[in-house]
Amino acid sequence: GLLYVPVSLDLRQPVSLIVSFHGAGGDAHHAIDPFREFADRTGTLLLAPESQQSTWDVIVGEFGPDVHFINEALHDVFDLYPIDPDRLAIAGFSDGASYALSLG
């Protein structure tokens, strides 16, 4: 996965976070790239986990290693940055959108 930290990030105040999920066969870059300009303009962190297989675990069965990875990544990001939990968004493309809805 990837964490995109915009240059405009102001750590003196709580910050927004978008968690974005790629589509089947995609990767973290596919999930971050559409939001980079917005993140740079607004000082929003972008977190893009990657599925452990070609798509997200619940799409092919049930929640499993992808959820574990996402939880660990979120713990790390919340430990490192002053995330405002009221300004957290979840997004995705294709299978990633289904996964975002399932987790959200």
Side-chain angles (χ1 to χ4, degrees):
L2 295 173
L3 177 66
Y4 180 75
V5 181
V7 187
S8 60
L9 190 68
D10 181 359
L11 296 176
R12 296 172 292 173
Q13 60 187 3
V15 297
S16 301
L17 172 65
I18 296 174
V19 181
S20 182
F21 300 101
H22 62 77
D27 61 25
H29 289 284
H30 292 125
I32 281 184
D33 289 346
F35 297 104
R36 286 182 68 170
E37 183 179 317
F38 174 81
D40 289 334
R41 190 173 65 251
T42 62
T44 299
L45 286 170
L46 303 175
L47 176 63
E50 286 190 0
S51 60
Q52 305 299 299
Q53 302 294 321
S54 63
T55 194
W56 301 98
D57 51 15
V58 77
I59 305 296
V60 294
E62 60 187 19
F63 290 115
D66 290 335
V67 171
H68 177 74
F69 178 79
I70 293 162
N71 282 336
E72 292 295 316
L74 285 170
H75 281 280
D76 290 346
V77 172
F78 272 78
D79 283 347
L80 292 170
Y81 297 95
I83 305 298
D84 180 349
D86 291 330
R87 293 180 8 214
L88 172 66
I90 303 172
F93 174 77
S94 190
D95 279 4
S98 297
Y99 204 65
L101 287 170
S102 297
L103 289 180

